[in-house]
Amino acid sequence: MNPAAPRPRRRAERRVAAVAAGCALLLTLAGCAEESSSPGDADPTSAADELDLAPDDDGFAPLPLYFVALSGQYPSGVTGAQIGCEDLLLQVNTVPMKTEDPVEDALNFLLQDQQYRHGDPALTNSVLLSSESLTLQDYEIQGDTVEVNLSGSVVTRSVCESYRIRAQFEATAAAAAGVEDARILVDGEDLDTLLGLDPFERGEQITTD
């Protein structure tokens, strides 16, 4: 197969029961050697891109998710990219789980999360503000980009929160699809345009003290 050829578009049914159960799983910060009951309680030891997300022999693999540490409230000893209002975008992984569709399950995990804040200092999930108004429809991977189609309304409370929502969606979709970039559409409109933001660029990678 030509690796640059588009993968078939997939219909993303909202498997609420399965993903809701997944939200009860333990989370670990990328690169963490120990499991934790909350993203903010982890003790990371290496950069996120060093973590192996490939399924094991039984088909189990962690889902890569992205959460945000707010400016001035960074956890210690973590590595992430600065975004928006000097917030820090951090990769967080579920414990290994069996999934036939990591892109769908990772995005629905964010939408169906039960808490805005996790741990202390907290990692935040601004995506869940749209949990009652936004639905994942489908996605398509072509080359090094995944295009995600959502339907409904994006709920945001500020420009800073808009940056967080966009960053979480794009980074999570790209990581789960195993590609470099993501494009997010809401009822056919680009999320950047909808939120009035410039195209997404991750800032400098920093490691906190």
Side-chain angles (χ1 to χ4, degrees):
M1 174 185 285
N2 183 348
R7 301 183 196 179
R9 185 178 294 271
R10 302 197 59 173
R11 178 67 182 175
E13 301 295 338
R14 298 189 79 192
R15 294 176 290 182
V16 177
V19 179
C23 288
L25 292 174
L26 299 179
L27 297 172
T28 58
L29 270 169
C32 180
E34 299 178 357
E35 293 179 353
S36 167
S37 59
S38 155
D41 296 334
D43 180 21
T45 58
S46 62
D49 58 5
E50 297 176 359
L51 196 75
D52 184 8
L53 299 176
D56 62 19
D57 292 341
D58 296 320
F60 286 80
L63 290 177
L65 311 171
Y66 277 82
F67 288 77
V68 175
L70 303 185
S71 177
Q73 302 178 40
Y74 298 164
S76 61
V78 297
T79 299
Q82 286 195 318
I83 59 167
C85 305
E86 297 187 353
D87 298 326
L88 194 64
L89 182 66
L90 295 168
Q91 184 176 333
V92 180
N93 301 300
T94 67
V95 295
M97 59 184 294
K98 200 159 191 175
T99 174
E100 297 178 356
D101 194 329
V103 177
E104 175 186 347
D105 286 345
L107 292 174
N108 276 335
F109 199 121
L110 293 180
L111 281 166
Q112 297 171 19
D113 192 5
Q114 301 299 304
Q115 299 180 74
Y116 177 80
R117 300 173 65 87
H118 296 270
D120 183 19
L123 301 188
T124 63
N125 178 15
S126 293
V127 170
L128 71 80
L129 299 175
S130 304
S131 62
E132 299 299 322
S133 58
L134 201 59
T135 303
L136 174 62
Q137 295 298 307
D138 57 35
Y139 67 88
E140 182 178 8
I141 301 173
Q142 184 169 1
D144 63 357
T145 300
V146 57
E147 182 178 289
V148 175
N149 292 285
L150 304 169
S151 180
S153 301
V154 180
V155 178
T156 182
R157 301 176 295 192
S158 66
V159 172
C160 291
E161 195 120 59
S162 294
Y163 280 117
R164 296 168 198 148
I165 291 168
R166 192 263 305 275
Q168 284 189 259
F169 269 131
E170 292 201 11
T172 297
V179 297
E180 292 294 323
D181 300 307
R183 183 185 181 204
I184 311 297
L185 302 175
V186 180
D187 292 327
E189 185 174 8
D190 195 287
L191 183 60
D192 292 335
T193 302
L194 187 66
L195 295 176
L197 303 177
D198 293 330
F200 177 51
E201 290 186 8
R202 300 192 201 191
E204 178 186 2
Q205 283 280 124
I206 66 170
T207 299
T208 63
D209 297 328

